[in-house]
Coordinates of all heavy atoms in Angstrom, one line a residue:
N3 N 93.7 9.7 -30.8 CA 92.7 8.6 -30.6 C 92.1 8.8 -29.2 O 92.9 8.8 -28.2 CB 93.3 7.3 -30.8 CG 92.4 6.1 -30.7 OD1 91.7 6.0 -29.7 ND2 92.4 5.2 -31.7
I4 N 90.8 8.8 -29.1 CA 90.2 9.0 -27.7 C 90.4 7.9 -26.8 O 90.7 8.1 -25.6 CB 88.6 9.2 -27.9 CG1 88.4 10.6 -28.7 CG2 88.0 9.3 -26.6 CD1 87.0 10.8 -29.0
S5 N 90.4 6.7 -27.3 CA 90.7 5.5 -26.3 C 92.2 5.5 -25.8 O 92.4 5.1 -24.7 CB 90.3 4.2 -27.0 OG 91.0 4.0 -28.2
A6 N 93.1 6.0 -26.7 CA 94.4 6.1 -26.2 C 94.6 7.1 -25.1 O 95.4 6.9 -24.2 CB 95.4 6.4 -27.4
L7 N 93.9 8.2 -25.3 CA 94.0 9.3 -24.3 C 93.4 8.7 -22.9 O 94.0 9.0 -21.8 CB 93.1 10.5 -24.7 CG 93.8 11.4 -25.8 CD1 92.8 12.5 -26.2 CD2 95.1 12.1 -25.2
K8 N 92.3 8.0 -23.0 CA 91.7 7.4 -21.8 C 92.7 6.4 -21.2 O 92.8 6.4 -19.9 CB 90.4 6.7 -22.2 CG 89.7 6.0 -21.1 CD 89.2 7.0 -20.0 CE 88.4 6.2 -19.0 NZ 88.0 7.0 -17.8
A9 N 93.4 5.6 -22.0 CA 94.4 4.7 -21.4 C 95.5 5.3 -20.6 O 95.9 4.9 -19.6 CB 94.9 3.8 -22.5
I10 N 96.0 6.5 -21.2 CA 97.0 7.2 -20.5 C 96.6 8.1 -19.3 O 97.2 8.1 -18.4 CB 97.7 8.2 -21.6 CG1 98.3 7.4 -22.7 CG2 98.7 9.0 -20.9 CD1 98.8 8.1 -23.8
Y11 N 95.3 8.7 -19.5 CA 94.8 9.5 -18.5 C 93.4 9.0 -18.0 O 92.4 9.4 -18.5 CB 94.7 11.0 -19.0 CG 96.0 11.5 -19.5 CD1 96.1 11.7 -20.9 CD2 97.0 11.8 -18.7 CE1 97.3 12.3 -21.4 CE2 98.2 12.3 -19.1 CZ 98.3 12.5 -20.5 OH 99.6 13.0 -21.0
P12 N 93.4 8.0 -17.1 CA 92.2 7.3 -16.7 C 91.1 8.3 -16.1 O 90.0 7.9 -16.0 CB 92.6 6.2 -15.8 CG 94.0 6.6 -15.4 CD 94.5 7.5 -16.4
F13 N 91.6 9.5 -15.7 CA 90.6 10.4 -15.0 C 89.7 11.1 -16.1 O 88.7 11.7 -15.7 CB 91.3 11.4 -14.3 CG 92.3 12.2 -14.9 CD1 92.1 13.3 -15.7 CD2 93.7 11.8 -14.8 CE1 93.1 13.9 -16.4 CE2 94.8 12.4 -15.5 CZ 94.4 13.5 -16.3
L14 N 90.0 11.0 -17.4 CA 89.1 11.5 -18.4 C 87.9 10.7 -18.5 O 87.9 9.4 -18.4 CB 89.8 11.4 -19.8 CG 91.1 12.3 -20.0 CD1 91.7 12.1 -21.2 CD2 90.7 13.8 -19.8
E15 N 86.7 11.3 -18.6 CA 85.5 10.6 -18.7 C 85.1 10.7 -20.2 O 84.9 11.7 -20.8 CB 84.4 11.3 -17.8 CG 84.8 11.3 -16.3 CD 83.8 12.0 -15.5 OE1 82.6 12.0 -15.8 OE2 84.2 12.6 -14.6
I16 N 84.8 9.5 -20.8 CA 84.4 9.4 -22.1 C 83.0 8.9 -22.2 O 82.6 7.8 -21.6 CB 85.3 8.4 -23.0 CG1 86.8 8.7 -22.7 CG2 85.0 8.4 -24.4 CD1 87.3 10.0 -23.1
S17 N 82.1 9.5 -22.9 CA 80.7 9.0 -23.1 C 80.2 9.5 -24.5 O 81.0 10.2 -25.3 CB 79.8 9.5 -22.0 OG 79.7 11.0 -22.0
D18 N 79.1 9.2 -24.8 CA 78.5 9.6 -26.1 C 77.4 10.6 -25.8 O 76.6 10.4 -24.9 CB 77.9 8.4 -26.9 CG 79.0 7.5 -27.4 OD1 80.1 8.1 -27.8 OD2 78.8 6.3 -27.4
I19 N 77.2 11.7 -26.6 CA 76.2 12.7 -26.4 C 75.1 12.5 -27.4 O 74.1 13.2 -27.5 CB 76.7 14.1 -26.6 CG1 77.4 14.3 -27.9 CG2 77.7 14.4 -25.4 CD1 77.7 15.8 -28.1
G20 N 75.2 11.4 -28.3 CA 74.2 11.2 -29.3 C 74.7 10.4 -30.5 O 75.9 9.9 -30.4
T21 N 74.0 10.5 -31.6 CA 74.5 9.9 -32.8 C 74.4 10.9 -33.9 O 73.5 11.8 -33.9 CB 73.7 8.6 -33.2 OG1 72.3 8.9 -33.2 CG2 74.0 7.5 -32.1
S22 N 75.2 10.8 -35.0 CA 75.1 11.6 -36.1 C 74.0 11.1 -37.1 O 73.4 10.1 -36.9 CB 76.5 11.5 -36.9 OG 76.6 10.2 -37.5
V23 N 73.8 11.8 -38.1 CA 72.7 11.5 -39.1 C 73.1 10.1 -39.8 O 72.3 9.5 -40.3 CB 72.5 12.6 -40.1 CG1 71.9 13.9 -39.4 CG2 73.7 13.0 -40.9
L24 N 74.4 9.8 -39.8 CA 74.9 8.6 -40.3 C 74.8 7.4 -39.3 O 75.3 6.3 -39.6 CB 76.3 8.8 -40.9 CG 76.4 9.7 -42.1 CD1 77.9 9.9 -42.4 CD2 75.6 9.4 -43.2
G25 N 74.3 7.7 -38.1 CA 74.3 6.7 -37.0 C 75.5 6.5 -36.3 O 75.5 5.5 -35.5
R26 N 76.6 7.3 -36.4 CA 77.8 7.1 -35.7 C 77.6 7.7 -34.3 O 77.0 8.8 -34.2 CB 78.9 7.8 -36.4 CG 79.2 7.1 -37.7 CD 80.5 7.6 -38.4 NE 80.8 6.9 -39.7 CZ 81.2 7.6 -40.7 NH1 81.5 8.9 -40.7 NH2 81.5 6.9 -41.8
N27 N 78.3 7.1 -33.3 CA 78.2 7.8 -32.0 C 79.1 9.0 -32.0 O 80.0 9.1 -32.7 CB 78.8 6.9 -31.0 CG 77.9 5.6 -30.7 OD1 76.7 5.7 -30.9 ND2 78.5 4.6 -30.2
I28 N 78.6 10.0 -31.2 CA 79.3 11.3 -31.1 C 79.9 11.3 -29.7 O 79.2 11.5 -28.7 CB 78.4 12.5 -31.2 CG1 77.8 12.5 -32.7 CG2 79.1 13.8 -31.1 CD1 76.7 13.5 -32.9
P29 N 81.2 11.1 -29.5 CA 81.8 11.0 -28.2 C 82.1 12.4 -27.7 O 82.4 13.4 -28.4 CB 83.2 10.3 -28.6 CG 83.5 10.5 -29.9 CD 82.2 10.8 -30.7
V30 N 82.0 12.4 -26.3 CA 82.5 13.7 -25.6 C 83.4 13.3 -24.6 O 83.4 12.1 -23.9 CB 81.3 14.3 -24.9 CG1 80.5 13.5 -24.0 CG2 81.6 15.7 -24.3
I31 N 84.5 14.1 -24.4 CA 85.5 13.9 -23.4 C 85.3 15.0 -22.2 O 85.1 16.1 -22.6 CB 86.9 14.1 -23.9 CG1 87.2 13.1 -25.1 CG2 88.0 13.9 -22.8 CD1 88.4 13.4 -25.9
K32 N 85.2 14.5 -21.0 CA 84.9 15.4 -19.9 C 86.0 15.3 -18.9 O 86.5 14.2 -18.7 CB 83.6 15.1 -19.2 CG 83.4 16.0 -18.0 CD 82.2 15.5 -17.2 CE 82.1 16.5 -16.0 NZ 82.8 16.0 -14.8
F33 N 86.6 16.4 -18.5 CA 87.5 16.4 -17.4 C 87.3 17.7 -16.6 O 86.9 18.6 -17.1 CB 89.0 16.1 -17.8 CG 89.7 17.0 -18.7 CD1 90.7 17.8 -18.4 CD2 89.2 17.0 -20.1 CE1 91.4 18.5 -19.3 CE2 89.9 17.8 -21.0 CZ 90.9 18.6 -20.6
G34 N 87.6 17.5 -15.3 CA 87.4 18.6 -14.3 C 86.1 18.2 -13.6 O 85.2 17.5 -14.0
N35 N 85.9 18.8 -12.4 CA 84.7 18.6 -11.6 C 84.1 19.8 -11.0 O 83.4 19.9 -10.1 CB 85.2 17.8 -10.3 CG 85.6 16.4 -10.9 OD1 84.9 15.7 -11.5 ND2 86.8 15.9 -10.4
G36 N 84.5 21.1 -11.7 CA 84.0 22.3 -11.2 C 82.6 22.6 -11.7 O 82.1 22.0 -12.6
P37 N 82.0 23.6 -11.0 CA 80.6 24.0 -11.3 C 80.5 24.7 -12.6 O 79.5 24.8 -13.3 CB 80.2 24.8 -10.1 CG 81.4 25.4 -9.6 CD 82.5 24.3 -9.8
K38 N 81.6 25.5 -13.0 CA 81.6 26.2 -14.3 C 81.9 25.2 -15.4 O 82.7 24.3 -15.3 CB 82.6 27.3 -14.3 CG 82.4 28.3 -13.2 CD 83.5 29.4 -13.3 CE 83.2 30.4 -12.1 NZ 84.4 31.4 -12.1
E39 N 81.1 25.3 -16.5 CA 81.2 24.3 -17.6 C 81.7 25.1 -18.8 O 81.2 26.1 -19.2 CB 79.9 23.6 -17.8 CG 79.4 22.8 -16.6 CD 78.1 22.1 -16.9 OE1 77.2 22.8 -17.3 OE2 78.0 20.9 -16.6
I40 N 82.7 24.4 -19.5 CA 83.2 24.9 -20.8 C 83.1 23.9 -21.8 O 83.3 22.7 -21.5 CB 84.7 25.2 -20.6 CG1 84.9 26.3 -19.5 CG2 85.3 25.7 -21.9 CD1 86.3 26.6 -19.1
F41 N 82.6 24.3 -23.0 CA 82.5 23.3 -24.1 C 83.3 23.7 -25.3 O 83.3 24.9 -25.7 CB 81.0 23.3 -24.5 CG 80.7 22.5 -25.7 CD1 80.6 21.1 -25.7 CD2 80.5 23.1 -27.0 CE1 80.4 20.3 -26.7 CE2 80.2 22.3 -28.1 CZ 80.2 20.9 -28.0
Y42 N 84.0 22.8 -25.9 CA 84.8 23.0 -27.1 C 84.4 21.9 -28.1 O 84.1 20.7 -27.7 CB 86.3 22.7 -26.9 CG 86.9 23.7 -26.0 CD1 87.3 23.5 -24.6 CD2 87.2 25.1 -26.4 CE1 87.9 24.4 -23.9 CE2 87.8 26.0 -25.6 CZ 88.2 25.7 -24.4 OH 88.8 26.6 -23.5
S43 N 84.3 22.2 -29.4 CA 84.0 21.2 -30.3 C 85.0 21.4 -31.5 O 85.6 22.5 -31.8 CB 82.6 21.3 -30.9 OG 82.4 22.6 -31.6
G44 N 85.3 20.3 -32.1 CA 86.3 20.3 -33.2 C 86.0 19.5 -34.4 O 85.2 18.5 -34.2
A45 N 86.4 19.9 -35.6 CA 86.2 19.2 -36.8 C 84.7 18.9 -37.2 O 84.3 17.8 -37.6 CB 86.9 17.9 -36.8
I46 N 83.9 19.9 -36.8 CA 82.4 19.8 -37.1 C 82.2 19.8 -38.7 O 81.4 19.1 -39.2 CB 81.6 20.9 -36.4 CG1 81.8 20.7 -34.9 CG2 80.1 20.8 -36.8 CD1 81.4 19.4 -34.3
H47 N 82.8 20.8 -39.3 CA 82.7 20.8 -40.8 C 84.0 20.2 -41.5 O 85.1 20.3 -40.9 CB 82.5 22.3 -41.1 CG 81.4 22.9 -40.5 ND1 81.5 23.8 -39.5 CD2 80.1 22.8 -40.8 CE1 80.3 24.2 -39.1 NE2 79.4 23.6 -39.9
A48 N 83.9 19.8 -42.6 CA 85.0 19.0 -43.4 C 86.2 19.8 -43.4 O 87.3 19.3 -43.3 CB 84.5 18.6 -44.6
N49 N 86.1 21.2 -43.6 CA 87.3 22.0 -43.8 C 87.9 22.4 -42.5 O 88.8 23.3 -42.5 CB 87.0 23.1 -44.8 CG 86.0 24.1 -44.2 OD1 85.3 23.8 -43.3 ND2 85.8 25.2 -44.8
E50 N 87.4 22.0 -41.4 CA 87.8 22.4 -40.1 C 88.6 21.2 -39.4 O 88.7 21.1 -38.2 CB 86.7 22.8 -39.2 CG 86.0 24.1 -39.7 CD 84.8 24.4 -39.0 OE1 84.3 23.6 -38.2 OE2 84.2 25.5 -39.3
W51 N 89.2 20.3 -40.2 CA 89.8 19.2 -39.6 C 91.0 19.5 -38.6 O 91.2 18.7 -37.7 CB 90.3 18.3 -40.8 CG 91.4 18.8 -41.5 CD1 91.3 19.6 -42.6 CD2 92.8 18.9 -41.3 NE1 92.5 20.0 -43.1 CE2 93.5 19.6 -42.3 CE3 93.6 18.3 -40.3 CZ2 94.9 19.8 -42.3 CZ3 94.9 18.4 -40.3 CH2 95.6 19.2 -41.3
I52 N 91.6 20.6 -38.8 CA 92.8 20.9 -38.1 C 92.3 21.2 -36.5 O 93.2 21.0 -35.6 CB 93.5 22.2 -38.6 CG1 94.9 22.4 -37.9 CG2 92.6 23.4 -38.4 CD1 95.8 21.3 -38.2
T53 N 91.1 21.5 -36.3 CA 90.7 21.7 -34.9 C 90.7 20.5 -34.0 O 91.0 20.6 -32.8 CB 89.3 22.3 -34.8 OG1 88.4 21.5 -35.5 CG2 89.2 23.8 -35.4
A54 N 90.5 19.4 -34.6 CA 90.6 18.1 -33.9 C 92.0 17.7 -33.3 O 92.1 17.6 -32.1 CB 90.1 16.9 -34.7
P55 N 93.1 17.9 -34.1 CA 94.4 17.6 -33.5 C 94.8 18.8 -32.5 O 95.5 18.5 -31.5 CB 95.3 17.6 -34.7 CG 94.6 17.9 -35.9 CD 93.2 17.9 -35.6
L56 N 94.3 20.0 -32.8 CA 94.6 21.0 -31.8 C 93.9 20.8 -30.4 O 94.6 21.0 -29.4 CB 94.2 22.5 -32.4 CG 95.1 22.9 -33.5 CD1 94.4 24.2 -34.1 CD2 96.5 23.1 -33.1
L57 N 92.7 20.4 -30.5 CA 92.0 20.1 -29.2 C 92.6 18.9 -28.6 O 92.7 18.8 -27.3 CB 90.5 19.9 -29.5 CG 89.7 21.3 -29.6 CD1 88.3 21.0 -30.1 CD2 89.8 22.1 -28.3
T58 N 93.0 17.9 -29.4 CA 93.6 16.8 -28.8 C 94.9 17.1 -28.1 O 95.2 16.6 -26.9 CB 94.0 15.7 -29.9 OG1 92.7 15.4 -30.6 CG2 94.6 14.5 -29.3
K59 N 95.7 18.0 -28.7 CA 97.0 18.4 -28.1 C 96.6 19.2 -26.7 O 97.3 19.1 -25.8 CB 97.7 19.4 -29.0 CG 99.1 19.8 -28.5 CD 100.0 18.7 -28.2 CE 101.4 19.2 -27.9 NZ 102.2 18.2 -27.5
F60 N 95.5 20.0 -26.7 CA 95.1 20.7 -25.6 C 94.8 19.8 -24.4 O 95.2 19.9 -23.3 CB 93.9 21.6 -25.9 CG 93.2 22.2 -24.7 CD1 93.8 23.3 -24.0 CD2 92.0 21.7 -24.3 CE1 93.1 23.7 -22.9 CE2 91.3 22.3 -23.2 CZ 91.9 23.3 -22.5
I61 N 94.0 18.7 -24.8 CA 93.7 17.6 -23.8 C 94.9 17.0 -23.3 O 95.1 16.8 -22.0 CB 92.7 16.6 -24.4 CG1 91.4 17.2 -24.8 CG2 92.6 15.4 -23.6 CD1 90.6 16.2 -25.8
E62 N 95.9 16.7 -24.1 CA 97.1 16.0 -23.7 C 97.9 17.0 -22.7 O 98.5 16.6 -21.8 CB 98.0 15.7 -24.9 CG 97.5 14.5 -25.7 CD 98.2 14.3 -27.0 OE1 98.7 15.3 -27.6 OE2 98.3 13.1 -27.3
T63 N 98.0 18.2 -23.2 CA 98.8 19.2 -22.4 C 98.3 19.5 -21.0 O 98.9 19.4 -20.0 CB 99.0 20.5 -23.2 OG1 99.6 20.3 -24.5 CG2 99.8 21.5 -22.4
L64 N 96.9 19.7 -21.0 CA 96.3 19.9 -19.7 C 96.2 18.7 -18.9 O 96.5 18.7 -17.6 CB 94.8 20.4 -20.0 CG 94.1 20.8 -18.7 CD1 94.8 21.9 -17.9 CD2 92.7 21.3 -19.1
S65 N 96.1 17.5 -19.5 CA 96.0 16.3 -18.7 C 97.4 16.0 -18.0 O 97.5 15.5 -16.9 CB 95.6 15.1 -19.5 OG 94.3 15.3 -19.9
L66 N 98.5 16.3 -18.8 CA 99.8 16.1 -18.3 C 100.1 17.1 -17.1 O 100.7 16.6 -16.1 CB 100.8 16.2 -19.4 CG 102.3 15.9 -19.0 CD1 102.5 14.5 -18.6 CD2 103.2 16.2 -20.3
A67 N 99.7 18.3 -17.3 CA 99.9 19.3 -16.2 C 99.1 18.8 -15.0 O 99.5 19.0 -13.9 CB 99.4 20.6 -16.7
Y68 N 97.9 18.3 -15.2 CA 97.1 17.8 -14.0 C 97.8 16.6 -13.4 O 97.9 16.6 -12.1 CB 95.6 17.3 -14.5 CG 94.9 16.8 -13.5 CD1 94.0 17.7 -12.7 CD2 94.7 15.5 -13.2 CE1 93.2 17.2 -11.7 CE2 93.9 14.9 -12.2 CZ 93.1 15.8 -11.5 OH 92.4 15.3 -10.4
T69 N 98.3 15.7 -14.2 CA 99.0 14.5 -13.6 C 100.2 14.9 -12.8 O 100.5 14.4 -11.8 CB 99.4 13.5 -14.8 OG1 98.2 13.1 -15.5 CG2 100.2 12.4 -14.3
N70 N 101.0 15.9 -13.4 CA 102.2 16.3 -12.7 C 102.0 17.5 -11.7 O 103.0 18.0 -11.1 CB 103.2 16.7 -13.7 CG 103.6 15.6 -14.6 OD1 103.7 14.4 -14.2 ND2 104.0 15.9 -15.9
N71 N 100.8 17.9 -11.5 CA 100.5 19.0 -10.6 C 101.3 20.2 -10.9 O 102.0 20.9 -10.1 CB 100.6 18.7 -9.1 CG 99.9 19.6 -8.2 OD1 99.0 20.4 -8.6 ND2 100.4 19.6 -6.9
T72 N 101.3 20.6 -12.2 CA 102.1 21.7 -12.7 C 101.2 22.8 -13.4 O 99.9 22.5 -13.5 CB 103.2 21.3 -13.7 OG1 102.6 20.7 -14.8 CG2 104.2 20.4 -13.1
N73 N 101.8 23.8 -13.8 CA 100.9 24.9 -14.4 C 100.9 24.8 -15.9 O 101.8 24.2 -16.5 CB 101.6 26.3 -14.1 CG 101.4 26.7 -12.7 OD1 100.7 25.9 -11.9 ND2 101.9 27.8 -12.3
M74 N 99.8 25.3 -16.5 CA 99.6 25.4 -17.9 C 99.3 26.9 -18.1 O 98.2 27.3 -17.7 CB 98.6 24.4 -18.4 CG 98.3 24.5 -19.8 SD 97.2 23.2 -20.3 CE 96.4 24.0 -21.7
F75 N 100.0 27.6 -18.9 CA 99.8 29.0 -19.2 C 99.5 29.8 -17.9 O 98.7 30.7 -17.9 CB 98.6 29.2 -20.2 CG 98.8 28.4 -21.5 CD1 98.1 27.4 -21.8 CD2 99.8 28.8 -22.3 CE1 98.2 26.7 -23.0 CE2 100.0 28.1 -23.5 CZ 99.2 27.1 -23.8
G76 N 100.3 29.5 -16.9 CA 100.2 30.3 -15.6 C 99.1 29.9 -14.7 O 99.0 30.5 -13.6
Y77 N 98.4 28.8 -15.0 CA 97.3 28.3 -14.1 C 97.6 26.9 -13.6 O 98.0 26.0 -14.5 CB 96.0 28.3 -14.8 CG 95.4 29.6 -15.2 CD1 95.7 30.2 -16.5 CD2 94.7 30.4 -14.4 CE1 95.3 31.5 -16.9 CE2 94.3 31.6 -14.7 CZ 94.6 32.1 -16.0 OH 94.1 33.5 -16.3
N78 N 97.5 26.7 -12.4 CA 97.6 25.3 -11.9 C 96.5 24.4 -12.4 O 95.3 24.8 -12.2 CB 97.7 25.3 -10.3 CG 97.9 23.9 -9.8 OD1 97.0 23.2 -9.6 ND2 99.1 23.6 -9.5
A79 N 96.9 23.3 -13.1 CA 95.9 22.5 -13.7 C 94.9 21.9 -12.7 O 93.7 21.8 -13.0 CB 96.6 21.4 -14.5
R80 N 95.4 21.5 -11.6 CA 94.5 20.9 -10.6 C 93.5 21.9 -10.0 O 92.4 21.6 -9.8 CB 95.3 20.1 -9.5 CG 96.0 18.9 -10.0 CD 96.5 18.0 -8.8 NE 97.1 16.9 -9.4 CZ 97.8 16.1 -8.7 NH1 97.9 16.2 -7.4 NH2 98.4 15.0 -9.4
E81 N 94.0 23.1 -9.7 CA 93.1 24.1 -9.2 C 92.1 24.5 -10.2 O 90.9 24.7 -9.9 CB 94.0 25.3 -8.8 CG 94.7 25.1 -7.5 CD 95.6 26.4 -7.2 OE1 95.4 27.4 -7.7 OE2 96.5 26.2 -6.4
L82 N 92.6 24.6 -11.4 CA 91.6 25.0 -12.6 C 90.6 24.0 -12.7 O 89.4 24.2 -12.8 CB 92.4 25.1 -13.9 CG 91.6 25.4 -15.2 CD1 91.0 26.8 -15.0 CD2 92.5 25.3 -16.4
L83 N 90.9 22.6 -12.8 CA 89.9 21.6 -12.9 C 89.0 21.2 -11.8 O 88.1 20.5 -11.8 CB 90.6 20.4 -13.5 CG 91.2 20.5 -14.9 CD1 92.0 19.2 -15.3 CD2 90.1 20.8 -15.9
N84 N 89.3 21.9 -10.7 CA 88.4 21.9 -9.5 C 87.4 23.0 -9.6 O 86.4 23.0 -8.9 CB 89.2 22.0 -8.1 CG 89.9 20.7 -7.7 OD1 89.4 19.6 -8.1 ND2 91.0 20.8 -7.1
Q85 N 87.7 24.0 -10.4 CA 86.7 25.1 -10.7 C 85.9 24.9 -11.8 O 84.8 25.6 -12.0 CB 87.6 26.4 -10.7 CG 88.4 26.7 -9.5 CD 89.2 27.9 -9.7 OE1 88.9 28.8 -10.5 NE2 90.3 28.0 -8.9
V86 N 86.3 24.2 -12.9 CA 85.6 24.0 -14.1 C 85.5 22.6 -14.5 O 86.3 21.7 -14.1 CB 86.3 24.8 -15.3 CG1 86.4 26.3 -15.0 CG2 87.7 24.2 -15.6
S87 N 84.4 22.3 -15.3 CA 84.3 21.1 -16.0 C 84.5 21.4 -17.5 O 83.7 22.2 -18.1 CB 83.0 20.4 -15.8 OG 82.9 20.0 -14.4
I88 N 85.3 20.7 -18.2 CA 85.5 20.9 -19.6 C 85.0 19.7 -20.4 O 85.3 18.6 -20.1 CB 87.1 21.1 -19.9 CG1 87.6 22.3 -19.1 CG2 87.3 21.3 -21.4 CD1 89.1 22.5 -19.3
Y89 N 84.2 20.0 -21.5 CA 83.6 19.1 -22.3 C 84.2 19.3 -23.7 O 84.1 20.5 -24.2 CB 82.1 19.2 -22.3 CG 81.5 18.9 -21.0 CD1 81.3 20.0 -20.1 CD2 81.0 17.6 -20.7 CE1 80.7 19.8 -18.9 CE2 80.4 17.4 -19.4 CZ 80.2 18.5 -18.6 OH 79.7 18.3 -17.3
I90 N 84.6 18.2 -24.4 CA 85.3 18.4 -25.7 C 84.6 17.3 -26.6 O 84.6 16.1 -26.3 CB 86.7 18.2 -25.7 CG1 87.3 19.4 -24.8 CG2 87.3 18.3 -27.1 CD1 88.8 19.3 -24.7
V91 N 84.1 17.8 -27.7 CA 83.5 16.9 -28.7 C 84.4 17.0 -30.0 O 84.7 18.0 -30.5 CB 82.0 17.2 -29.1 CG1 81.5 16.4 -30.2 CG2 81.1 17.1 -27.9
L92 N 84.9 15.8 -30.4 CA 85.6 15.8 -31.6 C 85.0 14.8 -32.6 O 84.8 13.6 -32.2 CB 87.1 15.2 -31.3 CG 87.9 16.0 -30.3 CD1 89.2 15.2 -29.9 CD2 88.3 17.3 -30.9
T93 N 84.6 15.2 -33.7 CA 84.0 14.3 -34.7 C 85.1 13.5 -35.3 O 86.2 13.8 -35.3 CB 83.2 15.1 -35.8 OG1 84.1 15.9 -36.5 CG2 82.1 15.9 -35.1
R94 N 84.7 12.4 -35.9 CA 85.6 11.5 -36.4 C 85.7 11.6 -37.9 O 85.5 10.8 -38.7 CB 85.2 10.1 -36.1 CG 85.2 9.8 -34.6 CD 84.8 8.5 -34.2 NE 84.8 8.3 -32.8 CZ 84.2 7.3 -32.2 NH1 83.7 6.4 -32.9 NH2 84.2 7.3 -30.9
K95 N 86.1 12.8 -38.4 CA 86.3 13.0 -39.8 C 87.7 12.6 -40.2 O 88.7 12.8 -39.5 CB 86.0 14.4 -40.2 CG 84.7 14.9 -39.8 CD 84.2 15.8 -40.8 CE 82.7 16.3 -40.4 NZ 81.8 15.8 -41.3
P96 N 87.9 12.0 -41.4 CA 89.3 11.8 -41.8 C 90.0 13.0 -42.1 O 89.5 14.0 -42.6 CB 89.1 10.9 -43.1 CG 87.7 11.3 -43.5 CD 86.9 11.7 -42.3
R97 N 91.3 12.9 -41.8 CA 92.2 14.0 -42.3 C 92.5 14.0 -43.7 O 92.6 13.0 -44.3 CB 93.6 13.8 -41.5 CG 94.5 14.9 -41.7 CD 95.7 14.7 -40.8 NE 96.7 15.7 -41.2 CZ 97.8 15.9 -40.5 NH1 98.1 15.1 -39.4 NH2 98.6 16.8 -40.9
P98 N 92.5 15.3 -44.3 CA 92.7 15.2 -45.8 C 94.1 14.8 -46.1 O 95.1 14.8 -45.3 CB 92.6 16.7 -46.1 CG 92.5 17.6 -44.9 CD 92.3 16.5 -43.8
E99 N 94.2 14.2 -47.3 CA 95.6 13.7 -47.8 C 96.5 14.8 -48.2 O 96.1 15.8 -48.7 CB 95.4 12.7 -49.0 CG 94.6 11.5 -48.6 CD 95.2 10.6 -47.5 OE1 96.4 10.5 -47.6 OE2 94.5 10.2 -46.6

Protein backbone atom coordinates (compact mmCIF):
# COMPACT_ATOMS: atom_id res chain seq x y z
CA ASN A 1 0.00 0.00 0.00
CA ILE A 2 1.44 3.36 -1.06
CA SER A 3 0.16 5.28 1.97
CA ALA A 4 1.71 2.69 4.31
CA LEU A 5 5.08 3.12 2.57
CA LYS A 6 4.79 6.90 2.96
CA ALA A 7 4.00 6.51 6.67
CA ILE A 8 7.11 4.38 7.22
CA TYR A 9 9.40 6.33 4.87
CA PRO A 10 8.31 10.00 4.97
CA PHE A 11 11.02 11.02 2.47
CA LEU A 12 9.08 9.29 -0.33
CA GLU A 13 7.20 11.79 -2.45
CA ILE A 14 3.74 10.69 -3.55
CA SER A 15 1.74 12.51 -6.22
CA ASP A 16 -0.56 11.76 -9.15
CA ILE A 17 0.57 11.86 -12.76
CA GLY A 18 -2.93 11.86 -14.19
CA THR A 19 -6.08 9.78 -14.30
CA SER A 20 -6.98 6.51 -15.99
CA VAL A 21 -9.74 6.12 -18.55
CA LEU A 22 -11.90 5.01 -15.62
CA GLY A 23 -11.21 8.29 -13.82
CA ARG A 24 -8.92 6.80 -11.16
CA ASN A 25 -5.84 8.71 -10.04
CA ILE A 26 -2.51 7.29 -11.21
CA PRO A 27 -0.06 7.66 -8.32
CA VAL A 28 3.70 8.02 -8.73
CA ILE A 29 6.28 7.45 -6.00
CA LYS A 30 9.46 9.51 -6.25
CA PHE A 31 12.59 9.19 -4.25
CA GLY A 32 16.07 10.51 -4.74
CA ASN A 33 17.20 13.99 -5.71
CA GLY A 34 19.73 13.34 -8.43
CA PRO A 35 19.73 14.80 -11.92
CA LYS A 36 19.53 11.39 -13.61
CA GLU A 37 15.97 10.12 -13.77
CA ILE A 38 14.82 6.49 -13.77
CA PHE A 39 11.24 5.37 -14.39
CA TYR A 40 9.68 2.02 -13.45
CA SER A 41 6.07 0.98 -13.96
CA GLY A 42 4.25 -2.06 -12.70
CA ALA A 43 0.99 -3.90 -13.23
CA ILE A 44 0.07 -1.94 -16.34
CA HIS A 45 -1.56 -4.97 -17.97
CA ALA A 46 -3.83 -7.39 -16.10
CA ASN A 47 -1.50 -10.38 -16.48
CA GLU A 48 1.47 -8.40 -15.13
CA TRP A 49 0.18 -8.12 -11.56
CA ILE A 50 3.38 -9.65 -10.11
CA THR A 51 5.39 -6.54 -11.07
CA ALA A 52 3.55 -4.41 -8.48
CA PRO A 53 4.64 -6.45 -5.43
CA LEU A 54 8.16 -6.76 -6.86
CA LEU A 55 8.48 -3.00 -7.28
CA THR A 56 6.97 -2.48 -3.84
CA LYS A 57 9.64 -4.77 -2.37
CA PHE A 58 12.29 -2.79 -4.30
CA ILE A 59 10.96 0.45 -2.78
CA GLU A 60 11.00 -1.07 0.71
CA THR A 61 14.52 -2.50 0.34
CA LEU A 62 16.02 0.69 -1.08
CA SER A 63 14.20 2.88 1.45
CA LEU A 64 15.42 0.75 4.34
CA ALA A 65 19.00 0.91 3.01
CA TYR A 66 18.64 4.70 2.68
CA THR A 67 17.30 5.00 6.23
CA ASN A 68 20.10 2.85 7.66
CA ASN A 69 22.80 4.35 5.40
CA THR A 70 23.73 0.89 4.13
CA ASN A 71 24.40 -0.73 0.79
CA MET A 72 22.00 -2.39 -1.60
CA PHE A 73 23.59 -4.70 -4.17
CA GLY A 74 26.97 -3.08 -3.52
CA TYR A 75 25.77 0.54 -3.86
CA ASN A 76 25.38 2.94 -0.97
CA ALA A 77 21.70 3.92 -1.03
CA ARG A 78 22.27 7.53 0.05
CA GLU A 79 25.00 8.12 -2.52
CA LEU A 80 22.85 6.51 -5.20
CA LEU A 81 19.79 8.62 -4.39
CA ASN A 82 21.91 11.78 -4.51
CA GLN A 83 22.78 10.87 -8.11
CA VAL A 84 19.39 9.68 -9.36
CA SER A 85 15.69 10.38 -8.98
CA ILE A 86 13.55 7.25 -9.22
CA TYR A 87 9.91 7.40 -10.27
CA ILE A 88 7.67 4.37 -9.82
CA VAL A 89 4.09 4.03 -11.04
CA LEU A 90 2.02 1.15 -9.70
CA THR A 91 -1.50 0.74 -11.03
CA ARG A 92 -4.12 -0.43 -8.61
CA LYS A 93 -5.13 -3.69 -10.20
CA PRO A 94 -6.47 -6.44 -7.98
CA ARG A 95 -4.29 -9.48 -7.47
CA PRO A 96 -5.73 -12.65 -9.04
CA GLU A 97 -7.29 -15.20 -6.70
